[in-house]
Amino acid sequence: MEATSGLRRCELAGARRDGLDLDAGTLTIETTRVVVDGKVVESDGKTENAQRTLALDPFTLAALTRHVEMLDQEAKESGADYQDHGLLFCRENGKPPHPDTIIRRFKRLAQKAGLPDIDLHDVRHSYATAGRDAKIDWKALSKRIGHSDVAFTMKQYVQADLEADRQVRQPSRI
């Protein structure tokens, strides 16, 4: 989800099953789970644009469909021991993971896959950078990643590069 949507860790930790609409291909983010003084706290998001509905691409939608099927199977196998908190991303018994667990798991999986050592939040930045490189409208990109201000998004992701410079160079004089 981080790589295909640019969601923050706190948004992943707070994503709810009832916010996922597989038929419409959307995920609504309303609640986040953040760490404050070592304790997990539910919040309504970092910015005014944090609460939003995202259109899901076919790859992510297919992965989430399989994920929901897995959650249903785990709940069935756990029976009365299942702790249904309504979260989209939870432990096998339904219990919410600590948001820091998401980071540790990402690190383990990335290392196992032979990927360079990067932080989970860097994946979010990669998503936004790829959006910028794909010429996605700044306002749409800013809204999708939950920034409250387009100017902030532009400041974060406009980086001087040679190809961009070539696109705006002065035309030759005749």
Side-chain angles (χ1 to χ4, degrees):
M1 285 296 301
E2 183 95 13
T4 63
S5 68
L7 289 177
R8 297 174 177 96
R9 172 191 72 163
C10 62
E11 294 168 333
L12 293 170
R16 301 193 52 81
R17 279 190 68 163
D18 60 7
L20 177 63
D21 186 333
L22 294 172
D23 295 327
T26 60
L27 176 63
T28 299
I29 301 297
E30 293 179 337
T31 305
T32 63
R33 295 180 66 242
V34 297
V35 180
V36 178
D37 295 328
K39 295 182 181 177
V40 179
V41 177
E42 286 198 1
S43 167
D44 62 358
K46 187 175 177 180
T47 68
E48 64 187 49
N49 288 342
Q51 296 179 354
R52 62 198 184 282
T53 299
L54 302 174
L56 302 171
D57 65 276
F59 175 82
T60 303
L61 188 57
L64 285 173
T65 299
R66 290 188 305 275
H67 179 71
V68 167
E69 290 169 356
M70 180 190 71
L71 291 176
D72 291 341
Q73 183 62 35
E74 290 171 349
K76 183 179 174 184
E77 290 172 4
S78 294
D81 293 333
Y82 192 78
Q83 301 176 29
D84 189 356
H85 293 266
L87 293 174
L88 185 57
F89 302 108
C90 56
R91 297 184 179 277
E92 294 83 1
N93 64 357
K95 185 178 176 186
H98 191 284
D100 291 344
T101 302
I102 295 170
I103 292 172
R104 287 192 297 273
R105 180 160 184 176
F106 170 77
K107 287 283 196 184
R108 279 195 312 272
L109 291 172
Q111 183 179 28
K112 194 181 240 185
L115 298 173
D117 183 31
I118 63 169
D119 292 325
L120 180 61
H121 197 74
D122 292 338
V123 177
R124 174 178 162 79
H125 288 298
S126 295
Y127 175 86
T129 300
R132 177 209 68 196
D133 291 348
K135 310 273 189 276
I136 292 178
D137 175 74
W138 280 109
K139 184 175 181 180
L141 182 61
S142 181
K143 183 176 180 185
R144 181 155 178 98
I145 61 177
H147 286 165
S148 62
D149 180 36
V150 176
F152 177 80
T153 305
M154 293 176 79
K155 182 180 176 188
Q156 290 295 113
Y157 296 106
V158 173
Q159 301 152 355
D161 63 46
L162 189 55
E163 189 55 37
D165 188 51
R166 284 188 176 120
Q167 291 177 11
V168 297
R169 68 179 175 225
Q170 293 287 336
S172 302
R173 294 189 184 234
I174 300 178

